[in-house]
Amino acid sequence: MTTDQPHGTEPTSPSAANDGTAGTLVLAGTPIGDLADAPPRLAAELERADVVAAEDTRRLRRLTQGLGVHTTGRVLSYFEGNESARTPELVEALAGGARVLLVTDAGMPSVSDPGYRLVAAAVEKDIRVTAVPGPSAVLTALALSGLPVDRFCFEGFLPRKAGERLGRLREVEGERRTLVYFEAPHRLDATLAAMAEVFGADRRAAVCRELTKTYEEVKRGGLGELAAWAAEGVRGEITVVVEGAPEAGPGDVDDAELVRRVRVREEAGERRKEAIAAVAAEAGVPKRDVFDAVVAAKNAAQKAP
């Protein structure tokens, strides 16, 4: 037998906390820029929640004022610095039957934002987890980039240190899916330069800045070109979309490219022997060919005036 549910409500999971008394964790997407992009259910969930866990309570206050809603539940801060400590408290509230709403400053919780720990802990306790789908910088940038969207992977933020950043990029050097990254504006030029070094200066990319905001901008071009542009200084919130690696068959990669790939791996801390073997496997060529190209480049450099 089925029963009608009132609009905007969900049936309680019969397995929640094993006794049917547990509450629900709701992950709510919030606007990444334009407040008009707030999903219609967001206002109702803000008013309905027993507990609202917010990455920044001041940003939450501005959001509720902008939407014209009033939260009646308890408001708690839930950010990177207290995420581990506060998760058990929220799980306890959920186990007691509370409806907990999790919001971050922009976009979907747990996507490079607080939320993963709480979701994992709730799932472990068999507590129901649902979502209010909303704006996403990842998907918005991907759609606007003009690059292939049928297959993609999200890589989040790259490491701040140059060597670690090169190492992380090297891990996906042969990735054929479109890559999506977040980056801080003051590190954008260094990141694009590193991408140009690892992926090649001509690899297509798009820098998406201030998405859905007044000064939204999408800059498209090769990584080398974009790195030069970013060197002049860029402001705002940044999402970078990079074309995946081309499918190369045997003989499609020239000696200069083989040498460049070996050099990038060595600079990231890999031994030359292992770097040559990895590059050979990626390019589908014999290791001897890569070794000979590296030696020839070294000899040419030594003879150069």
Side-chain angles (χ1 to χ4, degrees):
M1 182 180 70
T2 60
T3 57
D4 292 334
Q5 292 290 329
H7 180 71
T9 65
E10 304 85 8
T12 301
S13 169
S15 61
N18 299 319
D19 60 6
T21 63
T24 299
L25 172 61
V26 182
L27 310 178
T30 57
I32 59 176
D34 192 335
L35 189 62
D37 293 334
R41 278 179 52 207
L42 178 59
E45 290 289 353
L46 284 165
E47 292 182 329
R48 178 186 181 191
D50 299 303
V51 179
V52 179
E55 184 177 10
D56 186 328
T57 56
R58 293 168 298 182
R59 293 280 289 268
L60 172 65
R61 191 177 305 113
R62 290 197 292 270
L63 175 65
T64 55
Q65 290 174 347
L67 296 177
V69 300
H70 177 67
T71 57
T72 57
R74 184 162 54 111
V75 174
L76 297 175
S77 64
Y78 189 74
F79 60 97
E80 184 178 3
N82 72 356
E83 190 175 1
S84 296
R86 184 140 279 175
T87 293
E89 178 183 352
L90 292 173
V91 171
E92 183 178 357
L94 286 162
R99 189 174 188 84
V100 176
L101 180 69
L102 176 61
V103 294
T104 54
D105 291 347
M108 283 298 297
S110 81
V111 181
S112 279
D113 275 329
Y116 167 74
R117 288 185 177 87
L118 181 55
V119 172
V123 169
E124 185 178 354
K125 296 292 185 181
D126 211 12
I127 293 169
R128 186 170 188 271
V129 181
T130 187
V132 178
S136 165
V138 175
L139 297 180
T140 303
L142 182 69
L144 295 178
S145 70
L147 297 172
V149 299
D150 54 334
R151 299 176 66 218
F152 72 95
C153 54
F154 175 56
E155 288 289 308
F157 284 92
L158 287 166
R160 292 181 173 86
K161 294 183 179 179
E164 294 177 2
R165 182 167 54 232
L166 281 173
R168 183 73 60 81
L169 291 171
R170 180 178 56 75
E171 291 176 3
V172 294
E173 182 178 359
E175 175 59 65
R176 293 176 185 169
R177 293 173 294 178
T178 299
L179 300 160
V180 184
Y181 294 89
F182 287 160
E183 191 50 279
H186 62 279
R187 291 196 299 270
L188 180 63
D189 57 341
T191 290
L192 290 172
M195 288 178 171
E197 182 178 349
V198 175
F199 301 148
D202 294 332
R203 179 83 70 89
R204 293 187 301 163
V207 176
C208 303
R209 187 179 71 85
E210 294 290 87
L211 289 172
T212 77
K213 299 177 183 177
T214 302
Y215 298 104
E216 175 181 285
E217 178 181 21
V218 180
K219 185 75 172 177
R220 305 176 182 88
L223 283 168
E225 174 190 353
L226 291 173
W229 164 76
E232 299 177 5
V234 179
R235 301 176 65 181
E237 295 185 347
I238 306 293
T239 306
V240 181
V241 186
V242 184
E243 181 181 31
E247 185 172 354
D252 288 347
V253 181
D254 61 22
D255 286 356
E257 175 63 13
L258 294 174
V259 172
R260 185 192 68 80
R261 293 187 184 185
V262 171
R263 185 184 70 250
V264 169
R265 287 178 172 273
E266 287 185 300
E267 289 176 351
E270 197 165 323
R271 293 172 57 187
R272 175 166 295 184
K273 181 178 179 180
E274 283 73 21
I276 288 174
V279 170
E282 289 172 357
V285 300
K287 286 188 287 185
R288 169 56 63 176
D289 289 358
V290 182
F291 176 79
D292 289 345
V294 170
V295 172
K298 180 179 179 181
N299 291 338
Q302 290 175 342
K303 293 178 181 178

